[in-house]
Amino acid sequence: MSTPSSIDFQIMWNRLIAVVEEQATTLIRTAFSTSVREAGDLSAGLFDRQGRMIAQAVTGTPGHVNAMAESVTHFVAEIGAQDMFEGDVLITNDPWLGTGHLHDITIVSPVFRKGTHIGCFACTAHVVDIGGRGFGPDGNEVYEEGLLIPIMKFAERGQVSKDLLRLIRANVRTPDQTVGDIYSLAACNEAGDRRLQAMLDEFDIDNIDGLSDFIIDTSRKATHEAITKVADGSFTHTMQVDGYDAPVHMEVRLDIKDDTLLADFAGTSGMSKFGVNCPEVYTRAYACYGLKCAIAPQVPNNSGSLEPFQITAPEGCILAAKRPAPVSVRHVMGHLVPDVVLGALHKAMPNTVPAEGASALWNIQISARASDPSSNLPNREVLMFNSGGTGARPAHEGLSATAFPSGVSTMSVEATEHVGPITVWRKDLRAGSGGAGTLRGGLGQTIEIEPRDGYDFYFNAMFDRVHNAARGRDGGNPGALGRVELSDGTALRSKGRQLIKNGQRLRLSLPGGGGYGAPSNRDKSQVAADIAAGLITPEQAKSDYGYE
């Protein structure tokens, strides 16, 4: 066995990206849930024996990836290296030890080489149902939100726990789909293991300790160096968002000195009675993502590049929820965290960060039920991911109907209609929803959904930016507020379980992103092009830009 050089380590580092990307691709190809197959709501990565993340797949969300960077250390501590064996598959969906809510199942598979434990592959994906009230914000405790699986073994020495499978199947509405997704997660890690073993054979090494130290140390150093280029000082920012039953005040202070950065969310509102609370692990994941995108975007994402960003929130605030708080739709608050930290960072790094965007996904969980309970029509669960507009950037327009910061893809109408008895009658860009500015904010979209013959459906609303718009930057106007209503204009609530009867249509008008810079400075030819493309109306061109 040879001793690798730094050049060897660099080559292996690049190879690892291909390894974990194939890991993620295996999950996408084998998953049962459309949210994984179509939207890429997943994460995959390689970790060392200590549980430190070495490499992550490009496919995946920051909330999953960066939270998983913490969660694997909990697996290592809970199970212990002495009780990990070849063929083991570990599992949890504990919101405080995983990725923030019960619908995300994290699977960790120890990697062995010549009988020695050398690391772990891990992956996470959102399952359509985990029991309880279903994916929605109405619960008052985590116990109402579904089945919580503690850190334990899904399989030991290759033997799957039949008792655990029976327990899961008995507690979820979609037993085949949920169990199938768990097997897909395990297969995903197995694919990564095979590719890693082939790489280690090629380089004639039997462990990844040296490679892990090289990657993490190099990334940590590069990130610290990037922080030194940011102005020293203390920078604060606040933002009000909708919340469930009351507005939520978010507040952050960035303390930057030399190569250190601390983000403190003291002053943020306390926990809600409903499931919009966010465990701190998820808050850290998205705060780190926002900061890293602006400060050190070229440094690969791993435990070393995340470590320099210190994130704290007072225990018991809505961004550091305590057990047994309800946390089912923690993404609604979590996806807004980058807007808060980037607002503070804008004061230290002008002309760098975008305006606020719709940010939080407009996920909709649909439970289709027969209009006549005596009929034999089967129940169906449908999950859709939808995105509003992003904020305009210092040099570019905002992106329309694009998921930032989550990064998931749009789920196709055809795939969504295939899994449930619904018809999507409309899904188009929402003209005029982007905030006016020198650079215009991205547009939201308008979506209309109707139950098919023989069905009604309940939907779980988990939408924000309905009462508090995405604000513009440096004189830009806010984006349009979102709306939730029937197609006849009857207003519906933006959060909570509601009924759509057969013959009714649900209409979602998604919010737009804020503009960047004063609208008066926008090039008139761009205004004319927006009118011609149907992105704004002539009336808006006149009122926002003074364009006749």
Side-chain angles (χ1 to χ4, degrees), residues 210-231:
L211 176 59
S212 173
D213 289 341
F214 175 79
I215 290 172
I216 290 173
D217 291 345
T218 302
S219 301
R220 183 190 301 112
K221 180 181 178 182
T223 304
H224 277 302
E225 288 178 352
I227 293 173
T228 63
K229 299 175 183 177
V230 183

Side-chain angles (χ1 to χ4, degrees), residues 13 53 56 62 65-66 219-220 222-223 226-227 230 261 284-309 311 338 341-342 345 349 352-353 404:
W13 190 353
M53 185 168 69
Q56 60 136 116
V65 169
N66 291 351
S219 301
R220 183 190 301 112
T223 304
I227 293 173
V230 183
L261 186 152
R284 282 194 291 268
Y286 271 105
C288 282
Y289 177 68
L291 293 168
K292 188 175 179 301
C293 279
I295 295 173
Q298 302 304 320
V299 182
N301 199 54
N302 53 59
S303 289
S305 60
L306 295 174
E307 184 183 309
F309 300 109
I311 314 295
V341 296
L342 291 176
L345 193 61
M349 301 174 66
T352 302
V353 306
F404 176 84

